[in-house]
Amino acid sequence: MMAESSTSAKQSMSEELKCSICLDVFTDPVSTPCGHNFCKSCLNRCWNNSQTYNCPFCKETFNKRPDLKINAGLRQVVQLFKEQLCETKSEVLCDICEDKQMKALKMCLVCQSSYCQTHLKPHYRVEKLKKHKLIDPVVNLETYVCQKHDKPLELFCTDDQTCVCLLCAVTNHRNHNTVSVEEESCARKPQLLKMQSDVQQTIQDKIKRIHELKHSAEIRKKTSEKEKADSIELFTDLIRSIERCQSELLEMMEQKQKAAEKQTDELIKKLEKEITELKKRDTELEQLSHTEDHLHLLQIYPSLIIPLPTTSCTEISISDTNVGPLIRSLTQLQNTLDEKLSKSVLKRMQQHAVDVTLDPNTCYPKLILSDDGKQVTYGDTKRELPDNPERFDSCCSVLAKEGFASGRFYFEVQVKEKTDWDLGIAKESITRKGVIKGSPENGYWIIVLRNGNQYMARESPFVSLSLRAKPQFVGVFVDYEGGLVSFYDVESRSLIYSFTGQTFTGKLFPYFSPGTKQEGKNAAPLIILNVRK
């Protein structure tokens, strides 16, 4: 148990004393202002290749490059650890000691024996022994000796790329080129240093990628939590709207019921009164029909022939519930729900808004960019510009300076008063020379307007889009990991089109094409807007 505990402690100590850049035990350790430790050479190499100075571990940025001084205390701890580590390795003992074997100081490849400090002295004193090849003690001595001739491997055959002894050099390798092992080793050290530098750079790149992935995951987590909160707020509002509308409907129906009951009661009373009047008339008529007073009959006859007022039983219909207000309320509720959902979706997209600026190095020579890099128009003349690899030379297109290789991003573009335009995103590796076929297969995810009213998504084949209104402002949303590119009409908060199920590799850049002027009909610029989050 004690041995296991000691081993575990040493492994833990080993991890604590490793540089997070080279992943090896510290060499000349230095500390950053944020408190993390690195090898001095590793940190200098990292900062020499960067315009900013930040901690490779926690990413804290420093205003100026810190003055690095070796941490003497930590270096001493590292040295003690290395010494303890060496002591735990298999020790080579002296072959000459008889009673108590001492630790070997050197090994002789000629004698093929190991010597402690005492028994090594003859090799420094005797002339013949001085010529022997001494090396630091190793357990696997046989790898330093020719297994065929039992001689030291002192030469390197450059033809067969193998170590040989002197007898091998004059027999099997007689006509080959050979050099000393030391010479070949020295010649290869620069290559090893280059390989080491490449490995360290690869390690640094991978560590950077890990930090980027962790940062991206953290952002996605925060975004997800924000979206959950927004969704809860949205549906809470919707539930309140439904409850309010339900309450209003019930109140309206109750009022209708009460009004109908009141009207019925009034009608019944009116009818009962008329019945009473009719019964009275009936009695009078009965009496007059048997009277002998002919003069009285003639005098009241005009009043008897006047019809009594009667109320029709069809003046009210209990089934008439007047559903018009109910239908209007339901329609209003549906419109409210649609508006809240559309507003919520667009609001979530706008949380990922990024600052986009047009890149003059990619600009087609006839396009004119504004000084702030936010507007692009088609010019009358083709300018003399360097035909660099990034530039479009045949299509009136331009990319943004900013590229994105992970996460989500959103930007908005004004397309007012235009009859032609292309808008979307493109891969960094797209073809920019000659005729371009804009489709996902060729690295383009774009929608276009042609002839003032023809909207299309550049799929394979093209997808014609039927829009209720002509968009004046178009929002573009990209979910890199989700493989989604969506286009929105910002004013109506409605979806125009989505590319779904895509797989992205490398950086994606916002893509713009204002189209030609078309005799002044399409002279308006494409304008990148500032999005309020």
Side-chain angles (χ1 to χ4, degrees), residues 26 57 95 106 191 200 215 296 381 406 500:
F26 290 124
F57 187 81
D95 292 331
K106 291 288 183 180
Q191 299 176 15
Q200 290 178 349
H215 182 63
H296 176 67
T381 59
S406 64
T500 60

Side-chain angles (χ1 to χ4, degrees), residues 149-205:
H149 301 112
D150 205 26
K151 298 291 183 182
L153 297 172
E154 300 182 76
L155 300 174
F156 181 80
C157 177
T158 57
D159 294 339
D160 293 339
Q161 293 292 298
T162 185
C163 295
V164 297
C165 69
L166 290 173
L167 289 178
C168 289
V170 297
T171 55
N172 296 338
H173 298 265
R174 180 174 52 193
N175 297 321
H176 293 180
N177 296 313
T178 59
V179 295
S180 69
V181 169
E182 290 81 358
E183 182 180 349
E184 183 64 21
S185 175
C186 291
R188 293 197 177 190
K189 279 186 178 180
Q191 299 176 15
L192 293 176
L193 292 174
K194 176 61 168 64
M195 291 169 60
Q196 182 188 17
S197 176
D198 293 343
V199 169
Q200 290 178 349
Q201 183 62 47
T202 302
I203 292 171
Q204 184 178 336
D205 292 342

Side-chain angles (χ1 to χ4, degrees), residues 474-494:
V474 176
V476 184
F477 173 74
V478 179
D479 184 344
Y480 193 98
E481 286 76 15
L484 174 68
V485 183
S486 294
F487 299 84
Y488 289 86
D489 182 336
V490 177
E491 283 188 315
S492 66
R493 302 188 184 94
S494 59

